Amino acid sequence: MHGVRRLYEQADLVDLIALDDVDLTIEPGTFVSIIGPSGCGKSTLLRLISGQESADAGRITVCGLTPKEAAEAKAFGFVPQSPALLPWLSVLGNVTLPHKVNRRSDRGRPDLEAMLREVGLGESLHKLPAELSGGMKQRTAIVRAFGLRPDVLLLDEPFGALDEFTREALQEQLLELWEQTRATVVFVTHSISEAVRLSDRVVVMAPRPGRITDIIDIDLPRPRHQEIITSPQFHAYELALRDSLRDAFSHGEVVS
Amino acid sequence: MSLQPGAQTGTQPIPPRRPHLLVPTPEQLAARRLRRRTRLLRPAYWLPFVLLVVVLAIAWGIGARQMPYLFAPLGEIAGVLSEDLAYFLENTLITLGEAMVGLGIGFVAAFALAVVVSEVAVVRRAVMPLAVVLSVTPLVAIAPLLVVALGFGMAPKVVLTALVCFFPILINVATGLRTVPGPVLEVYRTVAASRLEVLRYLRVPASLPYVFASLRIVFPLSMIGAVVAELAAAGSAEGLGSVIQVASSQNRLATVWAAIFVLAALGSLLFWFVTLAERRVLRWHQP
């Protein structure tokens, strides 16, 4: 994306600059996290990439296509903050339904049951979402996205509402699924350790106006298991990221 | 005790897991099952209702003696019912038929308009304020006009029933079709689901709780519509409304009350039917 700008008209009729002059290139097959304080336009960025909204200035291309065309071609898998499952469909029904819409562009159905079993939902295939815990629901949502075999996975703070244990277990499963598919991942988060644990590259954003202030490459070996969290390199990256975020924050304060 | 990760897995044997479920013995299980099944037979469940019915029946008896032009003795009503069972059954079926045909037409029309209203903002802004006004208007009041316009046959009854059912269904379904949460819509828009697909797979199923809510209103309402139309058509000879009309003009109070009791039973039956269907279809929905 190049020079992207997005405005929202506010209640007082003044335009809020949600994103200003955002330049970002994401290498195919990499895991990129976007981190920043609330209101810095992280979610807006995702909606622009997936073609839900269009930019007021600048240009976004996804694998050479416009975002709208990429969505038409089912290039995206999206995991929102809430699991967004349909309460009347079983776990299996929920991960199958995206294959039934926009059939022309469908990329074929992988063995969804096996994928669900792999993330520990084997005994819950035919349960309704109301019978699942928060972590199980979010796992279903992740399989729903991965099951589409997308080129680009967009995750908008998918673990934000989960407790620490569940969160770490799901990070592990997310990485396992990703190792198998190697899709491009854009992962919005506000957890520093989550960003370091998962990503090849972390994009730091600042609010007012929403913009990119720093990009940090995370050069840790993969696969990254639980133990990596306690390693000194991991800690060093966390500190670097924390500093970068503090800069982003203080910079924002000065401007506003 | 060590806080080192992995330390406890070393030499110490892992203690056996303590059970988290207490499974009853077969005898206990049988006793519990029996208790659950016979729950409704316990006096605590049925006694309050039966007592109230008995008290009301006694009050009715007193009423029948004090105001003989308003109440008929219960025994007489029961007598009329059992004597002319075929007559009542025949007229009940006629009224029920009118109500159900009217309800069906009203439902199909209202559902179709609700889909249009939920999809097209311009239509929504035009229709919905009017629909709200008309849903609180007692539309049964136009029954006499419909009889004048459409005659003494089935037509005015069906039209009136369809009309009174139309607006509650329209408002409920139009609301229900728009209850799909934003994130769900976003997920399906990122895979470029068409409007028709969103409607079919997301909006219509999401509206079902609202559909049933409207049916619970509208089933009893359909009976009211049909009966009022029959009452207004003074010369028509069929249906429970006509039975009431003719009998009250001839001062046969027992027949009037018998017809009313039949209507009450029929209304309850319909309500029970909707509740049953709802329980089957909306297993996923927890109110």
Side-chain angles (χ1 to χ4, degrees):
Chain A
M1 59 176 63
H2 184 74
V4 167
R5 182 183 176 98
R6 173 70 183 152
L7 306 174
Y8 288 121
E9 192 175 297
Q10 298 191 116
D12 58 2
L13 305 182
V14 176
D15 280 338
L16 172 80
I17 304 171
L19 286 176
D20 194 22
D21 200 18
V22 170
D23 275 307
L24 181 63
T25 307
I26 295 170
E27 295 297 327
T30 56
F31 198 122
V32 175
S33 286
I34 298 176
I35 196 168
S38 18
C40 69
K42 304 184 294 264
S43 300
T44 304
L45 195 65
L46 279 195
R47 281 202 295 275
L48 288 174
I49 296 174
S50 66
Q52 304 279 306
E53 293 178 15
S54 11
D56 293 296
R59 199 161 41 80
I60 303 174
T61 54
V62 182
C63 316
L65 303 170
T66 67
K68 285 243 165 64
E69 289 165 349
E72 276 302 325
K74 282 197 164 177
F76 297 116
F78 177 56
V79 182
Q81 208 164 349
S82 65
L85 302 177
L86 300 173
W88 58 86
L89 290 181
S90 68
V91 167
L92 193 57
N94 263 290
V95 299
T96 314
L97 184 55
H99 293 280
K100 294 186 185 163
V101 305
N102 188 7
R103 254 175 214 276
R104 248 174 320 128
S105 309
D106 203 61
R107 296 155 177 230
R109 218 177 285 183
D111 189 349
L112 295 168
E113 285 187 37
M115 285 177 83
L116 287 168
R117 247 178 256 124
E118 205 177 313
V119 298
L121 289 168
E123 279 164 29
S124 312
L125 292 179
H126 302 289
K127 281 190 183 164
L128 292 175
E131 302 170 84
L132 304 180
S133 70
M136 291 160 96
K137 283 184 208 167
Q138 203 54 274
R139 261 177 267 183
T140 309
I142 288 170
V143 170
R144 177 177 60 189
F146 270 98
L148 285 164
R149 298 177 169 168
D151 298 320
V152 183
L153 268 158
L154 306 166
L155 298 96
D156 190 358
E157 290 181 33
F159 307 144
L162 302 177
D163 62 77
E164 190 92 23
F165 302 114
T166 316
R167 182 182 262 254
E168 279 177 17
L170 258 70
Q171 288 169 1
E172 186 108 13
Q173 284 174 342
L174 176 64
L175 283 179
E176 273 167 29
L177 280 171
W178 178 68
E179 304 279 355
Q180 293 165 22
T181 59
R182 285 284 170 169
T184 312
V185 178
V186 184
F187 188 95
V188 166
T189 178
H190 47 213
S191 157
I192 291 172
S193 71
E194 190 165 86
V196 175
R197 166 102 192 266
L198 299 173
S199 337
D200 297 314
R201 176 172 270 195
V202 181
V203 176
V204 182
M205 293 186 67
R208 296 157 188 261
R211 66 204 185 283
I212 294 173
T213 54
D214 199 4
I215 293 179
I216 297 176
D217 285 315
I218 308 288
D219 214 357
L220 292 171
R222 289 189 189 270
R224 296 176 190 165
H225 290 303
Q226 201 78 39
E227 308 84 59
I228 203 163
I229 297 179
T230 47
S231 76
Q233 300 100 302
F234 190 90
H235 203 59
Y237 277 120
E238 274 191 336
L239 287 179
L241 193 51
R242 201 176 293 276
D243 279 342
S244 179
L245 270 167
R246 195 174 301 128
D247 286 347
F249 231 131
S250 55
H251 199 57
E253 300 290 277
V254 174
V255 171
S256 66
Chain B
M1 179 128 185
S2 165
L3 285 177
Q4 284 293 304
Q8 69 274 36
T9 55
T11 50
Q12 282 160 327
I14 299 163
R17 265 183 75 170
R18 289 167 59 182
H20 75 289
L21 291 176
L22 253 179
V23 183
T25 64
E27 298 87 63
Q28 280 175 323
L29 205 63
R32 282 184 194 183
R33 273 211 197 103
L34 188 69
R35 206 167 52 203
R36 246 188 223 182
R37 259 185 230 147
T38 56
R39 206 178 30 178
L40 294 178
L41 295 177
R42 258 179 281 157
Y45 275 89
W46 50 262
L47 199 57
F49 173 73
V50 170
L51 270 179
L52 182 64
V53 170
V54 169
V55 168
L56 286 178
I58 293 168
W60 185 287
I62 296 167
R65 227 167 296 140
Q66 299 292 321
M67 292 172 278
Y69 296 106
L70 185 54
F71 294 108
L74 286 173
E76 225 174 279
I77 297 170
V80 167
L81 260 179
S82 61
E83 256 170 57
D84 294 333
L85 199 59
Y87 171 72
F88 278 105
L89 206 63
E90 188 186 321
N91 285 291
T92 303
L93 286 180
I94 288 166
T95 303
L96 186 64
E98 291 163 354
M100 292 303 106
V101 171
L103 175 63
I105 295 172
F107 184 82
V108 171
F111 202 97
L113 185 58
V115 168
V116 176
V117 156
S118 82
E119 290 291 313
V120 189
V122 180
V123 179
R124 177 165 61 246
R125 274 178 232 131
V127 170
M128 288 319 276
L130 206 62
V132 172
V133 171
L134 284 175
S135 76
V136 297
T137 310
L139 289 173
V140 287
I142 65 164
L145 303 181
L146 283 177
V147 171
V148 171
L150 301 172
F152 293 104
M154 212 175 153
K157 289 118 189 172
V158 169
V159 170
L160 187 67
T161 307
L163 214 55
V164 295
C165 294
F166 183 83
F167 293 100
I169 298 172
L170 173 63
I171 289 174
N172 271 286
V173 178
T175 310
L177 288 171
R178 303 190 64 75
T179 53
V180 182
V184 174
L185 287 175
E186 241 178 287
V187 166
Y188 285 89
R189 282 200 192 120
T190 48
V191 292
S194 68
R195 276 176 99 165
L196 192 66
E197 285 165 340
V198 169
L199 188 69
R200 172 174 165 204
Y201 292 118
L202 308 181
R203 292 198 191 279
V204 169
S207 77
L208 283 180
Y210 290 79
V211 170
F212 276 103
S214 74
L215 286 183
R216 252 183 285 144
I217 301 169
V218 136
F219 260 82
L221 209 56
S222 71
M223 295 299 295
I224 295 177
V227 169
V228 169
E230 285 168 358
L231 285 174
S236 73
E238 292 180 313
L240 286 174
S242 309
V243 169
I244 292 171
Q245 246 253 319
V246 174
S248 67
S249 69
Q250 298 168 352
N251 216 11
R252 287 186 286 124
L253 277 182
T255 307
V256 172
W257 280 110
I260 292 173
F261 281 142
V262 170
L263 282 172
L266 201 58
S268 319
L269 212 64
L270 291 178
F271 192 82
W272 176 74
F273 170 72
V274 176
T275 311
L276 212 68
E278 182 175 9
R279 235 181 262 165
R280 292 224 121 184
V281 178
L282 293 186
R283 246 181 257 266
W284 54 271
H285 187 247
Q286 285 158 341

